Amino acid sequence: MERWHNKVAVVTGASSGIGAGVVKDLVGAGIQVVGLARRKERVEDIKANLPEKRQSLLTAIECDVTNLDSVNKAFDEIITKFGGVDILVNNAGTSKLGQLVSQDPQTIQMVLQTNVMGVVYCTQRAFKSMKDRNMNGHVIIINSICGHKVLGGPAGKLPITNIYSPSKYAITAITEIYRQEFSGLGTKIKITSISPGAVDTELISDNLKKTLGERILSPHDIGSAILYTLSTPPHVQIHEMIIKPVGENF
């Protein structure tokens, strides 16, 4: 991990859940972290609760990944302050329960804008920064097991995840597109998709958490996976990592 010391990692959706855990783990590894979130104040709270000697390693910037102007403003600020982006963790994501045949199209569009276009917007800016500086950086996307298998509904009931799985299937394909493009454009920038099973975040209801019991991951489990992918030597690329808690039946 020494080669990443004093490098700059950008984490989207950094205010809670997986993003908050990843921010703490990257800061703990000595990496300069920029946490992007609509709720910037939550990232500031994370910073305030870090050990005093680590607080300078975290910067909070307001950003709505569904809005291209917001993304460009955030990345302009990052590049002005730090000179560039070395690691990007595309973590921001959302889901809205309901049926695809009847859900409000604006809600469906919002999920797609967050889960798919947010990745595209941020990756374009990060990749350009890496390539322009000849930096062999790393782009990581938080995918889902739902990007590999469409989950049905509870026994005897309709599915409720609607566009979420299709949005994550898109991320699985986008990861491969990026691998081919990064290589074809003459860079050694790495791309990794990390697909967790159930993670203890705000996206999972209390009822489901109760049902899962110990069969659930923590955000720091995902942070550990990210640190592992970053620790691999330059010639090794972890293209896809699927992480499930022991006993998960999905």
Side-chain angles (χ1 to χ4, degrees), residues 171-217:
I171 291 303
T172 299
I174 284 170
T175 300
E176 173 58 16
I177 290 292
Y178 282 149
R179 187 192 67 79
Q180 294 183 24
E181 290 184 350
F182 291 178
S183 177
L185 289 168
T187 79
K188 293 184 179 180
I189 298 169
K190 297 182 184 182
I191 177 70
T192 299
S193 167
I194 295 179
S195 296
V199 183
D200 188 0
T201 70
E202 295 174 358
L203 288 180
I204 294 185
S205 69
D206 290 339
N207 285 339
L208 181 53
K209 289 177 184 178
K210 184 176 180 180
T211 300
L212 291 170
E214 295 181 351
R215 296 171 297 171
I216 193 168
L217 301 167

Coordinates of all heavy atoms in Angstrom, one line a residue, residues 171-217:
I171 N -23.7 -2.1 -14.7 CA -22.4 -1.9 -14.1 C -21.4 -3.0 -14.4 O -20.2 -2.8 -14.7 CB -22.5 -1.6 -12.6 CG1 -23.2 -0.3 -12.3 CG2 -21.1 -1.7 -11.9 CD1 -22.5 0.9 -13.0
T172 N -22.0 -4.3 -14.4 CA -21.1 -5.4 -14.7 C -20.6 -5.3 -16.2 O -19.4 -5.5 -16.4 CB -21.9 -6.7 -14.6 OG1 -22.4 -6.8 -13.2 CG2 -21.1 -7.9 -15.0
A173 N -21.4 -4.9 -17.1 CA -21.0 -4.7 -18.5 C -20.1 -3.5 -18.6 O -19.1 -3.5 -19.3 CB -22.2 -4.5 -19.4
I174 N -20.4 -2.4 -17.9 CA -19.6 -1.2 -18.0 C -18.1 -1.5 -17.5 O -17.2 -1.0 -18.0 CB -20.2 -0.1 -17.2 CG1 -21.4 0.5 -17.9 CG2 -19.2 1.0 -16.8 CD1 -22.3 1.5 -17.1
T175 N -18.0 -2.3 -16.5 CA -16.7 -2.7 -16.0 C -15.8 -3.3 -17.1 O -14.7 -2.9 -17.2 CB -16.8 -3.7 -14.8 OG1 -17.6 -3.1 -13.7 CG2 -15.4 -4.1 -14.2
E176 N -16.4 -4.2 -17.8 CA -15.7 -4.8 -18.9 C -15.4 -3.8 -20.0 O -14.3 -3.8 -20.6 CB -16.4 -6.0 -19.5 CG -15.8 -6.6 -20.8 CD -14.4 -7.1 -20.6 OE1 -13.9 -7.3 -19.4 OE2 -13.8 -7.4 -21.6
I177 N -16.3 -2.9 -20.3 CA -16.1 -1.8 -21.3 C -14.9 -1.0 -20.9 O -14.0 -0.7 -21.7 CB -17.3 -1.0 -21.5 CG1 -18.4 -1.7 -22.2 CG2 -17.0 0.3 -22.2 CD1 -18.1 -2.0 -23.7
Y178 N -14.9 -0.6 -19.6 CA -13.7 0.2 -19.1 C -12.4 -0.6 -19.2 O -11.4 0.0 -19.5 CB -14.0 0.6 -17.6 CG -15.0 1.8 -17.5 CD1 -15.8 1.9 -16.3 CD2 -15.1 2.8 -18.4 CE1 -16.7 2.9 -16.2 CE2 -15.9 3.8 -18.3 CZ -16.7 3.9 -17.1 OH -17.6 4.9 -17.0
R179 N -12.4 -1.8 -18.9 CA -11.2 -2.6 -18.9 C -10.6 -2.6 -20.4 O -9.4 -2.3 -20.6 CB -11.4 -4.1 -18.6 CG -10.2 -4.9 -18.5 CD -10.5 -6.4 -18.4 NE -11.1 -6.9 -19.6 CZ -10.4 -7.2 -20.7 NH1 -9.1 -7.1 -20.7 NH2 -11.0 -7.7 -21.8
Q180 N -11.5 -2.8 -21.3 CA -11.0 -2.7 -22.7 C -10.6 -1.3 -23.2 O -9.6 -1.2 -23.8 CB -12.2 -3.2 -23.6 CG -12.5 -4.7 -23.4 CD -13.6 -5.2 -24.4 OE1 -13.8 -4.6 -25.5 NE2 -14.3 -6.2 -24.0
E181 N -11.3 -0.3 -22.7 CA -11.0 1.1 -23.1 C -9.7 1.5 -22.4 O -8.8 2.1 -23.1 CB -12.1 2.0 -22.8 CG -13.4 1.8 -23.6 CD -14.5 2.8 -23.4 OE1 -14.3 3.6 -22.4 OE2 -15.4 2.9 -24.1
F182 N -9.6 1.2 -21.1 CA -8.4 1.7 -20.4 C -7.1 1.1 -21.1 O -6.1 1.8 -21.2 CB -8.4 1.2 -18.9 CG -9.4 1.9 -18.1 CD1 -9.6 1.6 -16.8 CD2 -10.2 2.9 -18.6 CE1 -10.5 2.2 -16.0 CE2 -11.2 3.6 -17.8 CZ -11.3 3.2 -16.5
S183 N -7.2 -0.2 -21.4 CA -6.1 -0.9 -22.1 C -5.9 -0.4 -23.5 O -4.7 -0.1 -23.9 CB -6.3 -2.4 -22.1 OG -5.2 -3.1 -22.7
G184 N -7.0 -0.3 -24.2 CA -6.9 0.1 -25.6 C -6.4 1.6 -25.8 O -5.8 1.9 -26.9
L185 N -6.5 2.4 -24.8 CA -6.1 3.8 -24.9 C -4.6 3.9 -24.3 O -4.1 5.0 -24.1 CB -7.0 4.7 -24.1 CG -8.4 4.9 -24.8 CD1 -9.4 5.6 -23.8 CD2 -8.2 5.8 -26.0
G186 N -4.0 2.8 -24.1 CA -2.6 2.8 -23.8 C -2.2 3.1 -22.3 O -1.1 3.5 -22.0
T187 N -3.2 2.9 -21.4 CA -2.9 3.1 -20.0 C -2.8 1.8 -19.2 O -3.2 0.7 -19.8 CB -4.0 4.0 -19.3 OG1 -5.1 3.1 -19.0 CG2 -4.5 5.1 -20.2
K188 N -2.3 1.9 -18.0 CA -2.3 0.7 -17.1 C -3.2 1.0 -15.9 O -3.0 0.5 -14.8 CB -0.9 0.4 -16.7 CG 0.0 -0.1 -17.8 CD 1.4 -0.5 -17.4 CE 2.2 -1.0 -18.5 NZ 3.6 -1.4 -18.1
I189 N -4.2 1.8 -16.1 CA -5.2 2.1 -15.1 C -6.0 0.9 -14.9 O -6.5 0.2 -15.8 CB -6.1 3.3 -15.5 CG1 -5.2 4.6 -15.6 CG2 -7.2 3.5 -14.5 CD1 -6.0 5.7 -16.3
K190 N -6.2 0.5 -13.6 CA -7.0 -0.7 -13.3 C -8.5 -0.4 -13.1 O -8.8 0.7 -12.7 CB -6.4 -1.4 -12.0 CG -5.0 -1.8 -12.1 CD -4.6 -2.5 -10.8 CE -3.1 -2.9 -10.8 NZ -2.8 -3.6 -9.5
I191 N -9.3 -1.4 -13.3 CA -10.7 -1.3 -13.0 C -11.1 -2.5 -12.2 O -10.8 -3.7 -12.6 CB -11.5 -1.2 -14.4 CG1 -13.0 -1.2 -14.1 CG2 -11.2 -2.3 -15.3 CD1 -13.5 0.1 -13.4
T192 N -11.9 -2.3 -11.2 CA -12.4 -3.4 -10.4 C -13.9 -3.2 -10.0 O -14.3 -2.1 -9.6 CB -11.6 -3.5 -9.0 OG1 -10.2 -3.7 -9.3 CG2 -12.1 -4.6 -8.2
S193 N -14.7 -4.2 -10.2 CA -16.1 -4.2 -9.7 C -16.1 -5.1 -8.5 O -15.7 -6.3 -8.5 CB -17.0 -4.8 -10.8 OG -18.2 -5.1 -10.3
I194 N -16.7 -4.6 -7.4 CA -16.9 -5.3 -6.2 C -18.4 -5.5 -6.0 O -19.1 -4.5 -5.9 CB -16.2 -4.6 -5.0 CG1 -14.7 -4.5 -5.2 CG2 -16.6 -5.3 -3.7 CD1 -14.0 -3.9 -4.1
S195 N -18.8 -6.7 -5.9 CA -20.2 -7.1 -5.8 C -20.6 -7.7 -4.4 O -20.4 -8.9 -4.3 CB -20.6 -8.0 -6.9 OG -20.5 -7.4 -8.2
P196 N -21.0 -6.9 -3.5 CA -21.4 -7.4 -2.2 C -22.8 -8.1 -2.2 O -23.6 -7.7 -3.0 CB -21.3 -6.2 -1.3 CG -20.9 -5.1 -2.1 CD -21.1 -5.4 -3.5
G197 N -22.9 -9.0 -1.2 CA -24.3 -9.4 -0.9 C -24.9 -8.4 0.1 O -24.6 -7.2 0.0
A198 N -25.6 -8.9 1.0 CA -26.3 -8.0 2.0 C -25.3 -7.3 2.9 O -24.4 -7.9 3.5 CB -27.3 -8.8 2.8
V199 N -25.4 -6.0 2.9 CA -24.5 -5.1 3.7 C -25.3 -4.3 4.7 O -26.4 -3.8 4.3 CB -23.6 -4.2 2.9 CG1 -22.6 -3.4 3.8 CG2 -22.8 -5.0 1.8
D200 N -24.9 -4.2 5.9 CA -25.6 -3.4 6.9 C -25.5 -1.9 6.7 O -24.6 -1.2 7.1 CB -25.0 -3.8 8.3 CG -25.8 -3.2 9.5 OD1 -26.8 -2.5 9.2 OD2 -25.4 -3.4 10.6
T201 N -26.5 -1.4 5.8 CA -26.5 0.0 5.5 C -28.0 0.4 5.5 O -28.9 -0.4 5.8 CB -26.0 0.2 4.1 OG1 -26.9 -0.3 3.1 CG2 -24.6 -0.4 3.8
E202 N -28.2 1.7 5.3 CA -29.5 2.3 5.3 C -30.4 1.7 4.2 O -31.7 1.8 4.2 CB -29.5 3.8 5.1 CG -28.8 4.5 6.3 CD -28.6 6.0 6.1 OE1 -29.0 6.5 5.0 OE2 -28.1 6.7 7.0
L203 N -29.8 1.1 3.2 CA -30.6 0.6 2.0 C -31.4 -0.7 2.4 O -32.3 -1.1 1.7 CB -29.7 0.3 0.8 CG -29.2 1.5 0.1 CD1 -28.3 1.0 -1.1 CD2 -30.3 2.4 -0.5
I204 N -31.0 -1.3 3.5 CA -31.6 -2.6 3.9 C -32.6 -2.3 5.1 O -32.1 -1.7 6.1 CB -30.6 -3.6 4.3 CG1 -29.8 -4.1 3.1 CG2 -31.2 -4.9 4.9 CD1 -28.8 -5.2 3.3
S205 N -33.8 -2.7 5.0 CA -34.8 -2.5 6.1 C -34.4 -3.2 7.3 O -33.7 -4.2 7.4 CB -36.2 -2.9 5.6 OG -36.2 -4.3 5.5
D206 N -35.0 -2.7 8.4 CA -34.7 -3.3 9.7 C -35.3 -4.7 9.8 O -34.7 -5.6 10.4 CB -35.4 -2.5 10.9 CG -34.6 -1.1 11.1 OD1 -33.4 -1.1 10.7 OD2 -35.2 -0.2 11.6
N207 N -36.4 -4.9 9.1 CA -37.0 -6.2 9.1 C -36.1 -7.3 8.4 O -36.0 -8.4 8.8 CB -38.4 -6.2 8.4 CG -39.5 -5.6 9.2 OD1 -39.4 -5.6 10.5 ND2 -40.6 -5.1 8.6
L208 N -35.5 -6.8 7.3 CA -34.6 -7.7 6.5 C -33.4 -8.0 7.4 O -32.9 -9.1 7.4 CB -34.3 -7.1 5.2 CG -33.3 -8.0 4.3 CD1 -33.9 -9.4 4.1 CD2 -33.1 -7.3 3.0
K209 N -32.9 -6.9 8.0 CA -31.7 -7.1 8.9 C -32.0 -8.2 10.0 O -31.1 -9.0 10.3 CB -31.3 -5.8 9.5 CG -30.6 -4.8 8.5 CD -30.3 -3.5 9.2 CE -29.8 -2.5 8.1 NZ -29.5 -1.2 8.7
K210 N -33.2 -8.1 10.5 CA -33.6 -9.0 11.6 C -33.6 -10.5 11.0 O -33.2 -11.4 11.7 CB -34.9 -8.6 12.2 CG -35.4 -9.5 13.3 CD -36.7 -9.0 13.9 CE -37.1 -9.8 15.1 NZ -38.4 -9.3 15.7
T211 N -34.2 -10.6 9.8 CA -34.2 -11.9 9.1 C -32.9 -12.5 8.9 O -32.6 -13.7 9.0 CB -35.0 -11.8 7.8 OG1 -36.4 -11.3 8.1 CG2 -35.1 -13.1 7.1
L212 N -32.0 -11.6 8.4 CA -30.6 -12.0 8.0 C -29.8 -12.4 9.3 O -28.9 -13.3 9.2 CB -29.9 -10.9 7.3 CG -30.4 -10.6 5.9 CD1 -29.8 -9.4 5.3 CD2 -30.2 -11.8 4.9
G213 N -30.0 -11.8 10.4 CA -29.2 -12.1 11.6 C -27.7 -11.8 11.3 O -27.4 -10.7 11.0
E214 N -26.9 -12.8 11.5 CA -25.5 -12.7 11.3 C -25.1 -12.8 9.9 O -23.9 -12.6 9.6 CB -24.7 -13.7 12.2 CG -24.9 -13.6 13.7 CD -24.1 -14.6 14.5 OE1 -23.6 -15.5 13.8 OE2 -24.0 -14.5 15.7
R215 N -26.0 -13.1 9.0 CA -25.7 -13.3 7.6 C -25.7 -12.0 6.9 O -26.4 -11.8 5.9 CB -26.7 -14.3 7.0 CG -26.6 -15.7 7.5 CD -27.7 -16.6 7.0 NE -29.0 -16.0 7.5 CZ -30.2 -16.5 7.0 NH1 -30.2 -17.4 6.1 NH2 -31.3 -15.9 7.4
I216 N -24.8 -11.1 7.3 CA -24.8 -9.7 6.7 C -23.4 -9.2 6.9 O -22.7 -9.5 7.8 CB -25.8 -8.8 7.4 CG1 -26.0 -7.5 6.6 CG2 -25.4 -8.5 8.9 CD1 -27.2 -6.7 7.1
L217 N -22.9 -8.5 5.8 CA -21.6 -7.9 5.8 C -21.6 -6.5 6.5 O -22.7 -5.9 6.6 CB -21.1 -7.7 4.4 CG -21.0 -9.0 3.6 CD1 -20.8 -8.7 2.1 CD2 -19.9 -9.9 4.1

